[in-house]
Amino acid sequence: NVALPTRLPFDALRVVFVNGHFRADLSDDLKTQAHVVIDSLQHHLSHGPVRNHYGHITPLTERLFSAMNAASPTDGLLLLVFKNTTVEKPIHVLRITTEGQQLIQPRDLFLIQEGAKAEVIEEHLSLAREVTSTLVNSVRESYVAEAAELLVHKLQRDAAAHIAQESVQVDAKGHYSISTTTLEGSLVRNDINVSLSGPEAHAELNGVYVLNGNTHCDNHTYIGHDVPDCTSDELYKGIIAEKGTGVFNGKVHVKQDAQRTRAYQSNANILLGDDAKVYTKPELEIYADDVKCTHGATIGQLNKESIFYLRSRGINTDRARQMLIHAFAGEIIERIKHEPAREELDKLVWDRLEAN
């Protein structure tokens, strides 16, 4: 028996996985909208659209953990949205891990066909009281067809070690956006690989990580501008305290034919102590000559003058620090277009800061 957390404070379609296995008994009725398939991936491996894309977007030869996942996937989510269909509600994918020593290997496939739109809120939650020896090794392949849109909001609050690969192909005029918020996890690695394969394709990658204790979080991103006239926007921010360690390694690759590329990449970090660490490496690799690309990274501490100003207004030191950190992370949260989801995430981040 699994006690589910309360529902999100807005209307969403809930899909539940427990220790990597799809639980239809805990999920909502997933057959409420025509031209939308939401189901266990294992039930559809022989179907044409799945066969045409499964295993084609994530290369197995470049990454050990992807090969491990392909060899023995636990289960996964299939999201298939047919041409010119908009999913009426956000899809809330709740992934729960329980206590014990486990290897969990989720494998998802998202297929958003021409002109279709979908929004996914993915929440990783642990029922264990403390850090476990569970390893979650997940792979998701996403195909965003011409003029389609896929928005993903990923919230990590799992005591298990988590290694995740997101592989995405975006066709002409397609839009892909992912926001990753890491609040817990003994060891977390998020790898995102996006290929902009059609003109006017766009990718937006956002992330915020709030780390303390001995938590280690890696964010490795790759955006390939493979054709002309594509755009990308990438912003990651980290707040690291105690003995936490944050890593950001982002690469934007612009091929020779990818003229008129527009790409922005930035990583900013705040260290809250002498033992906190961050390693950041933004990269641009450009072979075209008609481009506008910028990248940068900053590492610093809280502004003492700002703390003094807030204290002079009657706010104690701890509260002043929380307010400044919250404002720092707010730029990421404000990028989420879905207002109820944005407000809920803002509350969770604030609660995390108060708990620290």
Side-chain angles (χ1 to χ4, degrees), residues 5 15 17 19-20 92-97 104 106 108 120-127 136-140 152-166 178-185 188-190 348:
V15 186
F17 288 80
N19 294 330
H92 179 209
V93 183
L94 181 58
R95 301 187 187 273
I96 296 173
T97 59
I104 302 170
D108 296 345
V120 176
I121 300 167
E122 181 182 35
E123 184 175 6
H124 296 260
L125 187 63
S126 176
L127 298 184
V136 180
N137 174 33
S138 64
V139 171
R140 174 157 52 229
V152 179
H153 313 298
K154 189 173 183 179
L155 175 61
Q156 296 174 319
R157 295 192 293 164
D158 196 335
H162 195 157
I163 298 174
Q165 170 72 37
E166 301 266 356
I178 183 168
S179 298
T180 305
T181 304
T182 304
L183 301 181
E184 289 185 44
V188 178
R189 174 160 176 150
N190 298 307
L348 289 173

Side-chain angles (χ1 to χ4, degrees), residues 328-345:
F328 175 77
E331 186 178 359
I332 301 291
I333 298 170
E334 286 299 317
R335 288 187 165 210
I336 297 175
K337 297 177 182 178
H338 189 272
E339 184 176 353
R342 184 173 67 245
E343 292 175 352
E344 178 66 10
L345 179 58

Side-chain angles (χ1 to χ4, degrees), residues 311-327:
R311 291 192 62 193
S312 70
R313 296 300 185 270
I315 299 171
N316 66 43
T317 302
D318 288 342
R319 191 67 170 180
R321 286 163 58 91
Q322 291 169 2
M323 291 174 66
L324 291 174
I325 295 168
H326 181 257

Side-chain angles (χ1 to χ4, degrees), residues 128-149:
R129 299 183 184 91
E130 55 188 23
V131 173
T132 71
S133 54
T134 293
L135 171 62
V136 180
N137 174 33
S138 64
V139 171
R140 174 157 52 229
E141 297 177 293
S142 300
Y143 172 63
V144 182
E146 183 174 353
E149 181 176 82

Side-chain angles (χ1 to χ4, degrees), residues 265-285:
Q265 181 190 79
S266 179
N267 175 230
N269 300 274
I270 289 179
L271 300 181
L272 302 176
D274 294 337
D275 295 323
K277 297 178 182 177
V278 67
Y279 303 90
T280 179
K281 186 183 178 185
E283 299 179 65
L284 294 177
E285 187 172 339

Side-chain angles (χ1 to χ4, degrees), residues 13-39:
L13 192 65
R14 183 151 73 174
V15 186
V16 179
F17 288 80
V18 178
N19 294 330
H21 296 281
F22 174 61
R23 292 287 299 268
D25 59 317
L26 301 176
S27 302
D28 293 340
D29 181 3
L30 305 179
K31 299 180 180 179
T32 58
Q33 185 176 349
H35 309 299
V36 177
V37 178
I38 306 170
D39 199 1

